[in-house]
Amino acid sequence: MNTPRENGFFMPAEWAPHAGTWMIWPERTDNWRLGAKPAQNAFAEVASTISRFEPVTMMVSAKQFANARQKLPAAVRVVEVSTNDSWCRDTGASFLLNHEGKLAGTDWIFNAWGGLQRGLYFPWDLDDAVAAKMLEIERAPRYRAPLTTEGGAIHVDGEGTVLTTEACLLTTDRNPGMARADAEQRLQDYLGATKTIWLGEGVPGDETGGHIDNLACFIRPGTILLTWTDDSGEPLYQVCRDAAARLETARDAQGRGIKIEKIPMPTPMFFTEEEESGIDAGTTGMVRRAGERLAASYVNFYIANGAIIAPCFGVPTDEPAQRILQSNFPDREIIMLPAREILLGGGNIHCITQQQPQSAKT
Ligand code: KQY
C-alpha cells in the first residue's frame, strides 16, 4: 500500500468544515479524581456544547455505556469502544481527505507518550487500537504509519505544512534512533504534507513530553498562535522565545513567512491536596501530587464549525485570552468552558477532541 501522500490524501486544517467530532468518555480513576465523575461532567459539557455546532460521537466502554448515554444529550451518538484512557486527539485517527473529498485516516503507533521508558501507563494496547476502530465505523481506508506519535504532537495548515516539536518526535522514548529527516518524511507522507516546521520544547511540565497542541497552533494559513509570557522567572519564558525565534525565520509549504500572534499563558495553577486525595493509587507515570504545577494553556482549544471551544480556569488571564481568540476568529462564536477537571488529567479541550472533516457525499 502506498502512503497517503502518494495516494493524494492530506490532513485538512482544523478550521475546514467538519462532518463531526469524536471523543472518548473518561473513567480511569488513577487519572481522574472522585471516580472520574467531575471529569465526566466536564467532558459532557464539552460534547454537549460542540453538538450545537456539529455531530459528536462519544466512544465509551461497555461498563460506562449506560451512564454516558444518560449524561449526554440525545444529539451525541454513543458507541462502545474499549480504551485505556480518554485522549481522542492522541489515540484517534488523524482524518484525511483527497481532492475528490474521499475520507481516509492515519493511524499512528501509540505508546502512551513514551512507552516503558517514560510513558504514562501500561498497557496501552486498547488505545493503540482506537484509530482503526474509528476508521472501521466510518468505512474509511486506514493507513498505519511507521511512526510513534500522537495527534496532539502535530498541527497542520491544510496547505502542506506540519508544525511539531523536537521534544516529542525526536526522542528515544518514541522513535529511538530515528533521524530528523526520516521522522519528517514519515510525518509528511502520512499527513500529505511537504514542509515541517520544528519547534523545540513544549510547555514546561506537560506530561506528554511537550505536545505542540499545548504550545502553539495554526489559526489560519501563515499565522500561528503562540502561548506567551513576559515574566523572565517563568519556565515558559525561554521556551516561547525559542519558538518565536524559529517561527520568525520559518517558511511554510507555500513559501510564506509566519505571522505570530501571542496569547498569555494562564495564571499559574497547582494541584490541591483535595484534588490529590481524590485520585486512586495506581502504578502509572502520571504525577498527581499537591503543589505540582498544572501545564495549562489557552492554545489547547478546539475549532468546531462556527465556534471555538476554549478552556477557562476562573483566573484573571481568562478574559484577555477570550478577547484575543475573538479578534483572531471574528466569524466564530468563542465559548470558554471551565476546564480545570480536564487539565487535572494532563491535557485540555483540544486533547480530548478529534475532528472528522466533511467528505464528499457518496
Ligand atoms: O496533549 C494532549 N494531546 C493529551 C494529553 C494527555 C495527558 C495524559 N494524561
Side-chain angles (χ1 to χ4, degrees), residues 31 87 89-90 113 120 152 207-208 211 213 286 288 345-347 351:
N31 189 28
W87 306 98
R89 176 63 50 189
D90 290 348
W113 308 275
L120 298 181
E207 65 184 6
T208 65
H211 268 183
D213 75 346
M286 299 183 280
R288 301 281 180 269
C351 310

Side-chain angles (χ1 to χ4, degrees), residues 33-45:
R33 71 190 187 111
L34 303 175
K37 295 301 149 202
Q40 290 175 358
N41 292 335
F43 276 54
E45 185 66 27

Side-chain angles (χ1 to χ4, degrees), residues 20 37 46 66 86 99 113 117 122 137 149 157 170 175 201 212 227 242 253 330 334 339:
K37 295 301 149 202
V46 171
S86 44
H99 287 287
W113 308 275
Q117 206 179 315
F122 177 86
I137 291 170
T149 190
D157 66 357
L170 305 181
N175 297 293
E201 302 292 316
I212 192 65
T227 188
D242 173 67
I334 310 298

Side-chain angles (χ1 to χ4, degrees), residues 38-195:
Q40 290 175 358
N41 292 335
F43 276 54
E45 185 66 27
V46 171
S48 152
T49 305
I50 297 173
S51 74
R52 288 169 39 207
F53 300 92
E54 59 190 59
V56 176
T57 301
M58 184 68 76
M59 294 179 275
V60 184
S61 71
K63 227 169 69 199
Q64 278 290 317
F65 191 93
N67 179 43
R69 180 60 286 164
Q70 191 249 316
K71 285 210 165 85
L72 292 163
V76 174
R77 170 173 72 161
V78 180
V79 297
E80 187 186 318
V81 173
S82 312
T83 64
N84 301 108
D85 202 358
S86 44
W87 306 98
C88 198
R89 176 63 50 189
D90 290 348
T91 59
S94 294
F95 283 105
L96 312 167
L97 290 182
N98 68 8
H99 287 287
E100 283 82 58
K102 186 175 166 355
L103 188 71
T106 290
D107 174 3
W108 309 102
I109 301 168
F110 178 76
N111 76 348
W113 308 275
L116 295 179
Q117 206 179 315
R118 65 166 296 280
L120 298 181
Y121 46 72
F122 177 86
W124 54 78
D125 56 327
L126 298 174
D127 276 352
D128 192 33
V130 169
K133 292 175 183 173
M134 289 164 66
L135 293 164
E136 189 71 31
I137 291 170
E138 292 303 309
R139 300 179 189 278
R142 161 180 170 254
Y143 291 90
R144 178 67 162 172
L147 187 70
T148 302
T149 190
E150 306 88 36
I154 48 139
H155 267 304
V156 296
D157 66 357
E159 298 189 0
T161 318
V162 186
L163 181 67
T164 190
T165 60
E166 293 167 351
C168 278
L169 264 292
L170 305 181
T171 47
T172 56
D173 58 27
R174 305 298 214 288
N175 297 293
M178 192 180 289
R180 172 191 299 261
D182 195 2
E184 192 167 306
Q185 194 56 54
R186 293 177 198 215
L187 273 181
Q188 292 173 188
D189 283 347
Y190 283 80
L191 291 168
T194 53
K195 178 77 196 264

